[in-house]
Coordinates of all heavy atoms in Angstrom, one line a residue:
M300 N 8.6 -1.9 14.7 CA 8.7 -1.4 13.3 C 8.4 0.1 13.2 O 7.5 0.5 14.0 CB 7.8 -2.2 12.4 CG 8.4 -3.4 11.8 SD 7.3 -4.1 10.5 CE 6.5 -5.3 11.5
N301 N 8.9 0.7 12.3 CA 8.6 2.2 12.1 C 7.6 2.3 11.0 O 7.2 1.4 10.4 CB 9.9 3.0 11.8 CG 10.5 2.6 10.5 OD1 9.9 2.2 9.5 ND2 11.9 2.6 10.5
D302 N 7.1 3.6 10.9 CA 6.0 3.9 10.0 C 6.4 3.5 8.5 O 5.6 3.0 7.8 CB 5.6 5.3 10.0 CG 4.7 5.6 11.2 OD1 4.2 4.7 11.8 OD2 4.5 6.8 11.6
T303 N 7.6 3.8 8.2 CA 8.1 3.5 6.8 C 8.0 2.1 6.5 O 7.5 1.6 5.4 CB 9.5 4.1 6.5 OG1 9.5 5.5 6.8 CG2 9.9 3.8 5.1
Q304 N 8.5 1.3 7.4 CA 8.4 -0.2 7.2 C 7.0 -0.7 7.2 O 6.7 -1.6 6.4 CB 9.3 -0.9 8.3 CG 9.5 -2.4 8.0 CD 10.1 -2.7 6.7 OE1 11.2 -2.1 6.4 NE2 9.6 -3.5 5.9
N305 N 6.2 -0.2 8.1 CA 4.8 -0.6 8.1 C 4.1 -0.3 6.8 O 3.3 -1.1 6.3 CB 4.0 0.1 9.3 CG 4.4 -0.5 10.6 OD1 4.9 -1.6 10.7 ND2 4.2 0.3 11.7
M306 N 4.4 0.9 6.2 CA 3.8 1.3 4.9 C 4.3 0.3 3.9 O 3.5 -0.2 3.1 CB 4.2 2.7 4.6 CG 3.7 3.1 3.2 SD 4.3 4.7 2.6 CE 6.1 4.4 2.4
R307 N 5.6 0.1 3.8 CA 6.1 -0.8 2.8 C 5.5 -2.2 2.9 O 5.2 -2.9 1.9 CB 7.6 -0.9 3.0 CG 8.3 0.4 2.6 CD 9.8 0.4 3.0 NE 10.5 -0.7 2.3 CZ 11.0 -0.6 1.1 NH1 10.9 0.6 0.4 NH2 11.7 -1.5 0.5
N308 N 5.3 -2.7 4.2 CA 4.7 -4.0 4.4 C 3.3 -4.1 3.9 O 2.9 -5.0 3.2 CB 4.7 -4.4 5.8 CG 6.1 -4.7 6.3 OD1 7.1 -5.0 5.5 ND2 6.3 -4.8 7.6
Q309 N 2.5 -3.0 4.1 CA 1.1 -3.0 3.6 C 1.1 -2.9 2.1 O 0.3 -3.7 1.5 CB 0.4 -1.7 4.2 CG 0.0 -1.8 5.6 CD -1.2 -2.7 5.9 OE1 -1.3 -3.8 5.3 NE2 -2.0 -2.3 6.8
L310 N 1.9 -2.1 1.5 CA 2.0 -2.0 0.0 C 2.4 -3.4 -0.6 O 1.8 -3.9 -1.5 CB 2.9 -0.9 -0.4 CG 2.6 0.5 0.0 CD1 3.7 1.5 -0.4 CD2 1.2 0.9 -0.6
H311 N 3.4 -4.0 0.0 CA 3.9 -5.3 -0.4 C 2.8 -6.4 -0.4 O 2.5 -7.1 -1.4 CB 5.1 -5.7 0.4 CG 5.6 -7.0 0.2 ND1 5.2 -8.2 0.8 CD2 6.6 -7.4 -0.7 CE1 5.8 -9.2 0.3 NE2 6.8 -8.8 -0.5
D312 N 2.1 -6.5 0.8 CA 1.1 -7.5 1.0 C -0.1 -7.3 0.1 O -0.6 -8.2 -0.5 CB 0.7 -7.6 2.4 CG 1.8 -8.1 3.3 OD1 2.9 -8.5 2.8 OD2 1.7 -7.9 4.6
C313 N -0.5 -6.0 0.0 CA -1.7 -5.7 -0.9 C -1.3 -6.0 -2.4 O -2.2 -6.6 -3.1 CB -2.2 -4.3 -0.7 SG -3.0 -4.0 0.9
F314 N -0.1 -5.7 -2.8 CA 0.3 -5.9 -4.2 C 0.2 -7.4 -4.5 O -0.3 -7.8 -5.5 CB 1.7 -5.4 -4.4 CG 2.1 -5.4 -5.8 CD1 1.9 -4.3 -6.6 CD2 2.8 -6.5 -6.3 CE1 2.4 -4.3 -7.9 CE2 3.2 -6.5 -7.7 CZ 3.0 -5.4 -8.5
I315 N 0.7 -8.2 -3.5 CA 0.7 -9.7 -3.7 C -0.7 -10.2 -3.8 O -1.1 -11.0 -4.7 CB 1.5 -10.4 -2.6 CG1 3.0 -10.1 -2.8 CG2 1.2 -11.9 -2.7 CD1 3.9 -10.7 -1.7
D316 N -1.6 -9.7 -2.9 CA -3.0 -10.1 -2.9 C -3.7 -9.8 -4.2 O -4.5 -10.6 -4.7 CB -3.8 -9.5 -1.8 CG -3.4 -10.0 -0.4 OD1 -2.7 -11.0 -0.3 OD2 -3.7 -9.3 0.6
I317 N -3.3 -8.6 -4.8 CA -4.0 -8.2 -6.0 C -3.4 -8.9 -7.3 O -4.2 -9.3 -8.2 CB -3.9 -6.7 -6.1 CG1 -4.8 -6.0 -5.0 CG2 -4.4 -6.2 -7.5 CD1 -4.5 -4.6 -4.8
T318 N -2.1 -8.9 -7.4 CA -1.5 -9.4 -8.6 C -1.0 -10.8 -8.6 O -0.8 -11.4 -9.6 CB -0.3 -8.5 -9.0 OG1 0.8 -8.8 -8.0 CG2 -0.6 -7.1 -9.0
G319 N -0.9 -11.4 -7.4 CA -0.3 -12.7 -7.2 C 1.2 -12.8 -7.4 O 1.8 -13.9 -7.4
A320 N 1.8 -11.6 -7.5 CA 3.3 -11.6 -7.7 C 3.9 -10.7 -6.7 O 3.3 -9.7 -6.2 CB 3.6 -11.0 -9.1
K321 N 5.1 -11.0 -6.3 CA 5.9 -10.2 -5.4 C 6.4 -8.9 -6.1 O 7.0 -9.0 -7.1 CB 7.0 -11.0 -4.8 CG 7.8 -10.3 -3.8 CD 8.9 -11.2 -3.2 CE 9.8 -10.5 -2.2 NZ 10.9 -11.3 -1.7
P322 N 6.2 -7.8 -5.5 CA 6.7 -6.5 -6.1 C 8.2 -6.4 -5.9 O 8.8 -6.9 -4.9 CB 6.0 -5.4 -5.3 CG 5.7 -6.0 -4.0 CD 5.5 -7.5 -4.2
S323 N 8.8 -5.8 -6.9 CA 10.3 -5.5 -6.8 C 10.5 -4.4 -5.9 O 9.5 -3.6 -5.5 CB 10.9 -5.2 -8.2 OG 10.4 -3.9 -8.6
E324 N 11.7 -4.2 -5.4 CA 12.0 -3.0 -4.6 C 11.7 -1.7 -5.3 O 11.2 -0.8 -4.7 CB 13.5 -3.1 -4.2 CG 13.9 -2.0 -3.3 CD 13.3 -2.1 -1.9 OE1 12.8 -3.2 -1.5 OE2 13.1 -1.0 -1.3
D325 N 12.0 -1.7 -6.6 CA 11.7 -0.5 -7.4 C 10.2 -0.2 -7.4 O 9.7 1.0 -7.4 CB 12.3 -0.6 -8.8 CG 13.8 -0.4 -8.8 OD1 14.4 0.1 -7.9 OD2 14.4 -0.9 -9.8
Q326 N 9.4 -1.2 -7.6 CA 7.9 -1.1 -7.6 C 7.4 -0.5 -6.3 O 6.6 0.4 -6.3 CB 7.3 -2.4 -7.9 CG 7.3 -2.8 -9.4 CD 6.8 -4.2 -9.6 OE1 7.1 -5.2 -9.0 NE2 5.9 -4.3 -10.6
I327 N 7.9 -1.1 -5.2 CA 7.5 -0.6 -3.9 C 7.9 0.9 -3.7 O 7.0 1.7 -3.2 CB 8.2 -1.4 -2.7 CG1 7.6 -2.8 -2.7 CG2 8.0 -0.7 -1.4 CD1 6.2 -2.9 -2.3
L328 N 9.0 1.3 -4.2 CA 9.4 2.7 -4.1 C 8.5 3.6 -4.9 O 8.1 4.7 -4.4 CB 10.9 2.9 -4.5 CG 11.9 2.3 -3.6 CD1 13.3 2.4 -4.3 CD2 11.9 2.9 -2.2
V329 N 8.2 3.2 -6.1 CA 7.3 4.0 -7.0 C 5.9 4.0 -6.4 O 5.3 5.1 -6.3 CB 7.2 3.4 -8.4 CG1 6.1 4.0 -9.2 CG2 8.6 3.5 -9.1
I330 N 5.4 2.9 -5.9 CA 4.0 2.9 -5.3 C 4.0 3.8 -4.1 O 3.0 4.5 -3.9 CB 3.6 1.4 -5.0 CG1 3.5 0.6 -6.3 CG2 2.4 1.4 -4.2 CD1 3.3 -0.9 -6.1
A331 N 5.0 3.7 -3.3 CA 5.1 4.5 -2.0 C 5.0 6.0 -2.3 O 4.3 6.7 -1.6 CB 6.3 4.2 -1.2
E332 N 5.6 6.4 -3.4 CA 5.6 7.8 -3.8 C 4.2 8.2 -4.3 O 3.8 9.4 -4.2 CB 6.6 8.1 -4.9 CG 8.0 8.1 -4.4 CD 8.3 9.2 -3.5 OE1 7.8 10.4 -3.7 OE2 9.0 9.0 -2.5
E333 N 3.4 7.3 -4.9 CA 2.1 7.5 -5.5 C 1.0 7.4 -4.5 O -0.2 7.7 -4.9 CB 1.9 6.6 -6.7 CG 2.9 6.8 -7.8 CD 2.7 5.8 -8.9 OE1 2.0 4.8 -8.8 OE2 3.3 6.1 -10.0
V334 N 1.2 7.0 -3.3 CA 0.1 6.8 -2.4 C -0.7 8.1 -2.2 O 0.0 9.1 -2.0 CB 0.5 6.3 -1.0 CG1 -0.6 6.3 0.0 CG2 1.2 4.9 -1.1
P335 N -2.0 8.1 -2.5 CA -2.7 9.4 -2.4 C -2.7 10.0 -1.0 O -2.5 9.4 0.0 CB -4.2 8.9 -2.7 CG -4.0 7.7 -3.4 CD -2.8 7.0 -2.9
T336 N -2.8 11.3 -1.0 CA -2.7 12.1 0.2 C -3.7 11.7 1.2 O -3.4 11.7 2.4 CB -2.8 13.6 -0.1 OG1 -1.8 14.0 -1.1 CG2 -2.6 14.5 1.1
D337 N -4.9 11.4 0.8 CA -5.9 11.1 1.8 C -5.6 9.8 2.5 O -5.8 9.7 3.7 CB -7.3 11.0 1.1 CG -7.4 9.9 0.1 OD1 -6.5 9.8 -0.8 OD2 -8.4 9.2 0.1
I338 N -5.0 8.8 1.8 CA -4.5 7.6 2.5 C -3.4 7.9 3.4 O -3.4 7.4 4.6 CB -4.2 6.5 1.5 CG1 -5.4 6.1 0.6 CG2 -3.6 5.3 2.2 CD1 -5.1 5.1 -0.5
K339 N -2.5 8.7 3.0 CA -1.3 9.0 3.9 C -1.8 9.8 5.2 O -1.3 9.5 6.3 CB -0.3 9.9 3.2 CG 0.5 9.2 2.1 CD 1.5 10.1 1.4 CE 2.3 9.3 0.4 NZ 3.2 10.2 -0.3
G340 N -2.8 10.6 5.0 CA -3.4 11.3 6.1 C -4.1 10.4 7.1 O -3.9 10.5 8.3
L341 N -4.8 9.4 6.6 CA -5.5 8.5 7.4 C -4.5 7.6 8.1 O -4.6 7.3 9.3 CB -6.4 7.6 6.6 CG -7.4 6.7 7.3 CD1 -8.4 7.5 8.1 CD2 -8.2 5.8 6.3
A342 N -3.4 7.2 7.4 CA -2.3 6.4 8.1 C -1.6 7.2 9.1 O -1.2 6.7 10.2 CB -1.3 6.0 7.0
F343 N -1.4 8.5 8.9 CA -0.8 9.4 9.9 C -1.7 9.4 11.2 O -1.2 9.4 12.3 CB -0.6 10.8 9.4 CG 0.0 11.7 10.4 CD1 1.3 11.7 10.7 CD2 -0.8 12.7 11.0 CE1 1.9 12.6 11.7 CE2 -0.3 13.6 11.9 CZ 1.0 13.5 12.3
Q344 N -3.0 9.4 11.0 CA -3.9 9.5 12.1 C -4.0 8.1 12.8 O -4.0 8.1 14.1 CB -5.3 9.9 11.6 CG -6.3 10.1 12.6 CD -7.7 10.6 12.0 OE1 -7.9 10.6 10.8 NE2 -8.5 11.1 12.9
W345 N -4.2 7.1 12.1 CA -4.4 5.7 12.7 C -3.3 4.7 12.6 O -3.4 3.7 13.3 CB -5.7 5.1 12.0 CG -6.9 5.9 12.3 CD1 -7.5 6.8 11.4 CD2 -7.7 6.0 13.5 NE1 -8.6 7.4 12.0 CE2 -8.7 6.9 13.3 CE3 -7.5 5.4 14.7 CZ2 -9.6 7.2 14.2 CZ3 -8.5 5.7 15.7 CH2 -9.5 6.6 15.5
G346 N -2.3 5.0 11.8 CA -1.2 4.1 11.6 C -1.4 3.2 10.4 O -2.5 3.0 9.9
W347 N -0.3 2.8 9.8 CA -0.3 2.1 8.5 C -0.9 0.7 8.7 O -1.3 0.1 7.7 CB 1.1 2.0 7.9 CG 1.5 3.3 7.3 CD1 2.3 4.2 7.9 CD2 1.1 3.8 6.1 NE1 2.4 5.3 7.1 CE2 1.7 5.0 5.9 CE3 0.3 3.3 5.0 CZ2 1.5 5.8 4.8 CZ3 0.1 4.1 3.9 CH2 0.8 5.3 3.8
L348 N -1.0 0.2 9.9 CA -1.5 -1.2 10.1 C -3.0 -1.2 10.4 O -3.6 -2.3 10.6 CB -0.7 -1.9 11.3 CG 0.8 -2.0 11.0 CD1 1.5 -2.7 12.2 CD2 1.1 -2.7 9.7
D349 N -3.6 0.0 10.4 CA -5.0 0.1 10.7 C -5.8 -0.6 9.5 O -5.4 -0.6 8.4 CB -5.4 1.5 10.7 CG -6.9 1.7 11.0 OD1 -7.3 1.5 12.1 OD2 -7.6 2.1 10.0
T350 N -6.9 -1.3 9.9 CA -7.7 -2.0 8.9 C -8.3 -1.1 7.8 O -8.3 -1.4 6.7 CB -8.9 -2.7 9.7 OG1 -8.3 -3.6 10.7 CG2 -9.7 -3.5 8.7
E351 N -8.8 0.1 8.2 CA -9.3 1.0 7.2 C -8.2 1.5 6.3 O -8.5 1.6 5.1 CB -10.0 2.2 7.9 CG -10.7 3.1 6.9 CD -11.5 4.2 7.6 OE1 -11.7 4.1 8.9 OE2 -11.9 5.1 6.9
V352 N -7.0 1.7 6.8 CA -5.9 2.2 5.9 C -5.6 1.0 4.9 O -5.5 1.3 3.7 CB -4.7 2.5 6.8 CG1 -3.5 2.8 5.9 CG2 -5.0 3.7 7.7
R353 N -5.5 -0.2 5.4 CA -5.2 -1.3 4.5 C -6.3 -1.4 3.5 O -6.0 -1.7 2.3 CB -5.1 -2.6 5.3 CG -4.8 -3.8 4.4 CD -4.8 -5.1 5.2 NE -4.8 -6.3 4.3 CZ -3.8 -6.7 3.6 NH1 -2.6 -6.1 3.6 NH2 -3.9 -7.8 2.8
E354 N -7.6 -1.3 3.8 CA -8.6 -1.4 2.9 C -8.5 -0.3 1.8 O -8.7 -0.6 0.6 CB -10.0 -1.3 3.6 CG -11.2 -1.4 2.6 CD -12.5 -1.3 3.4 OE1 -12.7 -2.1 4.3 OE2 -13.3 -0.5 3.0
K355 N -8.2 0.9 2.2 CA -8.1 2.0 1.2 C -6.8 1.7 0.3 O -6.9 2.0 -0.9 CB -8.0 3.3 1.9 CG -9.3 3.8 2.5 CD -9.2 5.2 2.9 CE -10.6 5.6 3.5 NZ -11.6 5.7 2.5
I356 N -5.8 1.2 0.9 CA -4.6 0.9 0.1 C -4.9 -0.2 -0.9 O -4.6 -0.1 -2.1 CB -3.4 0.5 0.9 CG1 -2.8 1.6 1.7 CG2 -2.3 -0.2 0.1 CD1 -1.8 1.2 2.8
Y357 N -5.6 -1.2 -0.5 CA -6.0 -2.3 -1.3 C -6.8 -1.8 -2.5 O -6.6 -2.2 -3.7 CB -6.7 -3.4 -0.5 CG -7.1 -4.6 -1.3 CD1 -6.2 -5.7 -1.3 CD2 -8.2 -4.7 -2.1 CE1 -6.5 -6.8 -2.1 CE2 -8.5 -5.8 -2.9 CZ -7.6 -6.9 -2.9 OH -7.9 -8.0 -3.6
L358 N -7.9 -1.1 -2.2 CA -8.8 -0.6 -3.3 C -8.0 0.3 -4.3 O -8.3 0.2 -5.5 CB -10.0 0.1 -2.7 CG -10.9 -0.8 -1.9 CD1 -12.0 0.1 -1.2 CD2 -11.6 -1.8 -2.8
W359 N -7.2 1.2 -3.7 CA -6.4 2.0 -4.6 C -5.5 1.2 -5.5 O -5.4 1.4 -6.7 CB -5.6 3.0 -3.8 CG -4.6 3.8 -4.5 CD1 -4.9 4.8 -5.5 CD2 -3.2 3.7 -4.5 NE1 -3.7 5.3 -6.0 CE2 -2.7 4.7 -5.4 CE3 -2.3 2.9 -3.8 CZ2 -1.3 4.8 -5.6 CZ3 -1.0 3.1 -3.9 CH2 -0.5 4.0 -4.8
L360 N -4.7 0.3 -4.9 CA -3.8 -0.5 -5.7 C -4.6 -1.4 -6.7 O -4.1 -1.6 -7.8 CB -3.0 -1.4 -4.8 CG -1.8 -0.7 -4.1 CD1 -1.1 -1.7 -3.2 CD2 -0.8 -0.2 -5.1
E361 N -5.7 -1.9 -6.3 CA -6.5 -2.8 -7.2 C -6.9 -2.0 -8.4 O -6.9 -2.5 -9.5 CB -7.8 -3.3 -6.4 CG -8.6 -4.2 -7.2 CD -9.7 -4.8 -6.4 OE1 -10.5 -4.0 -5.8 OE2 -10.0 -6.0 -6.5
S362 N -7.3 -0.7 -8.2 CA -7.7 0.1 -9.4 C -6.5 0.3 -10.3 O -6.7 0.6 -11.5 CB -8.3 1.4 -8.9 OG -7.2 2.3 -8.4
K363 N -5.3 0.3 -9.8 CA -4.1 0.5 -10.7 C -3.5 -0.8 -11.2 O -2.9 -0.8 -12.3 CB -3.0 1.2 -9.8 CG -3.4 2.6 -9.4 CD -2.3 3.2 -8.6 CE -1.0 3.4 -9.2 NZ -0.8 4.4 -10.2
Y364 N -3.6 -1.9 -10.5 CA -2.8 -3.1 -10.9 C -3.6 -4.4 -11.1 O -3.0 -5.4 -11.3 CB -1.7 -3.3 -9.8 CG -0.7 -2.3 -9.7 CD1 -0.7 -1.3 -8.7 CD2 0.3 -2.2 -10.6 CE1 0.2 -0.3 -8.6 CE2 1.3 -1.2 -10.6 CZ 1.2 -0.3 -9.6 OH 2.2 0.7 -9.5
S365 N -4.9 -4.3 -11.0 CA -5.7 -5.5 -11.2 C -5.5 -6.2 -12.5 O -5.7 -7.4 -12.7 CB -7.2 -5.3 -10.9 OG -7.7 -4.4 -11.8
N366 N -5.1 -5.4 -13.5 CA -4.9 -6.0 -14.8 C -3.6 -6.8 -14.9 O -3.3 -7.4 -16.0 CB -4.8 -4.8 -15.9 CG -3.7 -3.9 -15.6 OD1 -3.2 -3.7 -14.5 ND2 -3.2 -3.2 -16.7
L367 N -2.8 -6.8 -13.9 CA -1.5 -7.6 -13.9 C -1.7 -9.1 -13.4 O -0.8 -9.8 -13.4 CB -0.5 -7.0 -12.9 CG 0.0 -5.6 -13.3 CD1 1.0 -5.1 -12.3 CD2 0.6 -5.6 -14.7
K368 N -3.0 -9.4 -13.1 CA -3.2 -10.8 -12.7 C -3.0 -11.8 -13.8 O -3.2 -11.6 -14.9 CB -4.7 -11.0 -12.2 CG -4.9 -10.4 -10.8 CD -6.3 -10.8 -10.3 CE -6.4 -10.3 -8.9 NZ -7.7 -10.6 -8.4

């Protein structure tokens, strides 16, 4: 898998964990554009599948979407 697909998979899985719903393709595209620079930098350094990267994605998404549960 490439980095783009790994990022999409992380966003998809975290979104489901937080909201209980599967994100649409449009939602994934919007979320991918909004990922903070510090998370992107960490992912560049360690890869999108890194545990710390996933944790930061999860916490960031939770702050934005936890009200959708």
Side-chain angles (χ1 to χ4, degrees):
M300 268 190 266
N301 63 35
D302 282 344
T303 301
Q304 189 59 48
N305 288 337
M306 176 187 67
R307 293 170 61 83
N308 289 344
Q309 285 286 39
L310 296 174
H311 176 272
D312 293 349
C313 287
F314 189 92
I315 289 173
D316 289 346
I317 292 163
T318 67
K321 184 178 176 182
S323 69
E324 184 63 26
D325 288 340
Q326 284 175 308
I327 290 292
L328 292 173
V329 169
I330 293 168
E332 288 293 320
E333 295 177 345
V334 173
T336 305
D337 63 316
I338 296 175
K339 288 179 180 177
L341 192 61
F343 178 75
Q344 185 177 13
W345 295 104
W347 286 99
L348 301 180
D349 180 74
T350 303
E351 188 175 345
V352 173
R353 178 181 169 78
E354 182 177 304
K355 288 189 179 293
I356 290 170
Y357 185 93
L358 292 172
W359 171 70
L360 283 175
E361 185 178 46
S362 72
K363 294 177 63 74
Y364 295 101
S365 64
N366 61 334
L367 297 180
K368 282 186 176 182

